[in-house]
Amino acid sequence: MSLMRGHNIPKSSKILLSILLTTTTTLFILKYRTYNYLKLQDPTLEVSFHDINIPFIQLIPNSTIYNPWCIITSIFAEISLITFIFSSIVLFIGSKFVERFWGYLEVLKFIYIIGSITNLITVLIAILSNIARSDSKNMNSPLGGGISYYFGFLVVFKQLIPEHNIVLFQGLINFRIKHLPFALLIILSLWSILFGSLYPAVPSTISFFISFIYLRFFQIIKSDTLLPTNNNQDISVIKGDASDTFQLVEFFPNVLKPYLTPIFNQIYEIAIFLAIITPFNDDIVQQSNTRALKRQEQVNQINKSVASSVAERRRQIALQVIEDRINKESGKV
């Protein structure tokens, strides 16, 4: 817990990691108590700890209607140590970076909105799919967890640092952030097809689209006073992100864009006709493009600051090594 009190950990990271730890620990304790109870009742009964479910915390298709709050609690309900560690890393890295741009409250709101809507749609699809296949077994399989927001952070990174390069294994793997969501969606879809399961492709795809829709059309954040605005426009807030670099088609490879652009444009027009979204005008698009440029400048400044800090630490270490070597040689003389 001393780590959670660190001064360098953002507020959103502390809150989210605390909720994750509390929810997952509570789930484990309840599963353990249920396991012991079942074994005491019948020592010969074969019980799998992994298969024990806690319906009022986990997202179980068969019982969600009786425990609707599980759409929210299951966001942080991990059932294994590996998924708990992975979710902790994603929440820490994602929230720490994004809070610089949004503030901690918007980060928390984003996780809960994306996670809960993703879980709701996922469980509805699971119920319909299981009914259609007359599969009662999967009705008791838990859903939810960090997968409900993993792709949410990928979409945010695409919005904030689309041109940032990720280099792994000394350059053996090199790709841009903006290509990562599509690549992972393809991999997870193939995985689901291979194993004949809707999971993890369905919640990942839902999380991706819900995150984009929210950020593109509905997110409300404070406006930067340095940006150009109309005199009759409320400059206190900006709704959505109409920038050209954050269009849905920009998430897909160039070879697919000519085919996807007319489809996405048609969906956009239908959504406007149904009054689901408000159309963007030229001023809003221009303002969003300016904000995108300013974000990129801010990211560049952060990267330069980090690089300078790393270089300074390396310089200090090098000086210390040289000083220690000189002291040793002086001692020998």
Side-chain angles (χ1 to χ4, degrees), residues 48-256:
S48 172
F49 184 84
H50 180 77
D51 293 336
I52 295 176
N53 297 325
I54 308 298
F56 56 88
I57 294 181
Q58 295 176 279
L59 188 67
I60 313 296
N62 204 28
S63 60
T64 301
I65 189 172
Y66 306 108
N67 307 288
W69 56 84
C70 291
I71 292 172
I72 296 177
T73 59
S74 61
I75 297 173
F76 303 97
E78 300 295 348
I79 59 175
S80 72
L81 179 61
I82 294 176
T83 57
F84 172 77
I85 293 174
F86 188 76
S87 294
S88 299
I89 294 172
V90 171
L91 282 176
F92 176 71
I93 295 176
S95 60
K96 183 177 182 179
F97 179 79
V98 177
E99 185 175 316
R100 301 175 181 179
F101 298 88
W102 293 354
Y104 82 95
L105 286 177
E106 180 57 34
V107 175
L108 299 179
K109 185 170 72 172
F110 176 77
I111 293 295
Y112 275 101
I113 289 176
I114 302 307
S116 59
I117 295 178
T118 296
N119 284 343
L120 175 61
I121 298 177
T122 298
V123 76
L124 290 177
I125 292 177
I127 291 173
L128 294 176
S129 174
N130 293 331
I131 291 175
R133 295 182 298 175
S134 300
D135 187 353
S136 58
K137 179 181 179 181
N138 285 333
M139 290 291 284
N140 293 313
S141 299
L143 304 173
I147 197 169
S148 62
Y149 56 77
Y150 291 162
F151 269 81
F153 278 120
L154 291 180
V155 175
V156 176
F157 292 155
K158 164 64 174 72
Q159 180 191 36
L160 300 178
I161 49 173
E163 301 301 327
H164 182 73
N165 274 21
I166 295 179
V167 181
L168 302 175
F169 306 111
Q170 296 182 345
L172 184 61
I173 298 178
N174 189 345
F175 57 89
R176 290 182 179 178
I177 285 289
K178 65 181 182 181
H179 297 147
L180 191 56
F182 177 78
L184 288 180
L185 282 178
I186 294 297
I187 293 173
L188 294 179
S189 297
L190 293 176
W191 177 282
S192 292
I193 292 173
L194 180 63
F195 290 94
S197 172
L198 296 177
Y199 198 89
V202 168
S204 298
T205 303
I206 294 172
S207 179
F208 167 76
F209 281 106
I210 295 299
S211 301
F212 171 79
I213 292 170
Y214 173 72
L215 295 174
R216 179 72 168 174
F217 300 105
F218 297 104
Q219 184 187 41
I220 297 177
I221 57 177
K222 292 182 179 180
S223 171
D224 190 329
T225 56
L226 297 178
L227 295 178
T229 54
N230 295 329
N231 292 331
N232 58 350
Q233 183 181 8
D234 181 8
I235 62 173
S236 61
V237 296
I238 290 179
K239 184 177 181 180
D241 183 352
S243 61
D244 294 327
T245 57
F246 195 57
Q247 298 180 78
L248 181 58
V249 74
E250 293 298 324
F251 285 86
F252 296 87
N254 292 333
V255 67
L256 297 178

Side-chain angles (χ1 to χ4, degrees), residues 4 57 148 154 171 210 260 289 315 320:
M4 300 297 291
I57 294 181
S148 62
L154 291 180
I210 295 299
L260 295 177
N289 286 336
R315 189 180 72 85
Q320 184 63 44

